[in-house]
Every structure is written in C-alpha cells, then in structure tokens.
Amino acid sequence: MTISDPVTDRRVFRPTVLDLGDATLRPWGRALDVPGGVVPALVAASRDPAVARWSPLGGTGPVVPETYLDRCEERWAAGTAASFAVLDAADGSLCGNVYLGWTDREDGVAMIGYWLVAAARGRGLASRAATAVTRWAVEHADVRRVELYHAVANADSCRVAERAGFPYEGTLRGSYTYGGGVYVDEHLHARLASDPFPD
C-alpha cells in the first residue's frame, strides 16, 4: 500500500508549454521538433563558448545528447525537474534552455538555471523565460523558494537574475566546478513565492 503525502503530492512538475510571444518553452525530449533535429541542435549549443564555459551541458567531456534528453524525460515523468527548450516562435530554432528542479521538495525549495545560444542573446529572453518558469512553478507545483546560482565571473547571468526578480543573497566560496576541475565562488540569488514578479 502506498501512503500519500499531501505536501509532496502537490509538488510535482507536469509537462506544459509556456508562451512568451516571441519564444515558446517546450519540455525537452527526443520528440521535440527543432529544425534540423533535436540532437544536432543540442550538439551545436554545447559548442557555443559561453554555454560550454558556464553550463553543465558543456560539462567535462563531449555532450551525449541522447543521454541528456533521456534524463530530461525521466525527470519530467517523475515530476522532479522541469527542463524546457526555449524555441524561437517564428522559426522553431533552439534559443536555449531553462531548468528547474527540486533541491528540497518537502520544504518547497527548487533551483533554476538557464543558458542561451549566441543568436538569442541581447533581447531579455533569459530573464523572461526564467520569470515564466518560476511563476509556473509557484502557481502549479507549490514552489515556496527558488534559488539561482552562478559563477561570480559570469556577469551576464547576474544581470539575468536581477532582471528576473532574484535578489542577491550572498557569495558561496569554492562551491562549484564548471567543468574545469577548479572550484569557483558563486553568487546566490533567490526569490520567494510571495515576492512580486517583475513586469
């Protein structure tokens, strides 16, 4: 017999599509429709210098797109993480990614991350996508707090965090390695479900 937990039963990420007007956020998976195919699009994104430097997608070795897509599908199916491909509304091309996953599901704490390919940068897309995913998580999965971490040297990500309504909370020393084997300091930004969303 399975015992139901009313708290964690509410805290489930269900696949959905979010519309930003000029971009659409769709769940990652092998069936995702991207011009030229989802696997080549992921490989190309992993070769973008900024993505390779700051994102776990670049990691410490070559990207295995099929493994990445399978992991996204498994986490969606389990309701434990939401990985969205950010697609251009006009041509369906891959612009980037927004990920949100539980760090403490029972307490309602999740973590968000994002990346964009070079062609999609400079139009506020990362902050708008992060805001949309955060709002969706608060409204539909009972997320109480969302944390955002980025390397101190990643000034672009810091600006995205601030525009998306994630105030700076402090610096974590030697907290993460971005594929280079050296642990770097990170900024912690976070927002609560009760915080007002940016316009």
Side-chain angles (χ1 to χ4, degrees):
M1 178 173 128
T2 303
I3 298 174
S4 179
D5 180 343
V7 173
T8 55
D9 285 353
R10 290 194 314 266
R11 292 181 169 151
V12 176
F13 301 122
R14 303 278 185 221
T16 192
V17 175
L18 302 174
D19 186 354
L20 301 183
D22 61 339
T24 306
L25 280 59
R26 296 189 178 275
W28 277 108
R30 289 186 185 234
L32 184 67
D33 186 18
V34 178
V38 66
V39 169
L42 262 176
V43 171
S46 72
R47 292 182 179 145
D48 180 290
V51 174
R53 181 175 183 193
W54 301 121
S55 167
L57 181 63
T60 56
V63 173
V64 182
E66 295 83 0
T67 302
Y68 178 80
L69 294 168
D70 288 346
R71 188 170 61 239
C72 290
E73 289 178 351
E74 289 164 7
R75 291 175 179 172
W76 272 115
T80 58
S83 296
F84 291 93
V86 182
L87 305 178
D88 188 88
D91 63 12
S93 62
L94 180 64
C95 296
N97 171 78
V98 179
Y99 166 88
L100 189 135
W102 293 115
T103 55
D104 188 334
R105 186 175 174 187
E106 188 173 328
D107 196 30
V109 181
M111 179 184 106
I112 195 166
Y114 43 79
W115 52 260
L116 293 179
V117 298
R121 295 178 198 138
R123 61 191 217 205
L125 187 53
S127 57
R128 290 186 290 123
T131 299
V133 170
T134 301
R135 184 189 299 269
W136 165 79
V138 166
E139 293 174 355
H140 296 280
D142 198 29
V143 172
R144 180 185 69 79
R145 174 180 164 88
V146 181
E147 297 177 340
L148 189 160
Y149 304 84
H150 66 80
V152 170
N154 190 347
D156 290 339
S157 194
C158 199
R159 285 189 289 274
V160 168
E162 290 167 353
R163 284 195 304 263
F166 286 80
Y168 169 76
E169 291 192 346
T171 299
L172 308 173
R173 297 178 301 147
S175 65
Y176 191 76
T177 177
Y178 286 82
V182 176
Y183 282 87
V184 299
D185 295 351
E186 289 187 301
H187 283 169
L188 167 62
H189 298 255
R191 57 172 296 123
L192 302 177
S194 57
D195 291 341
F197 283 95
D199 294 332

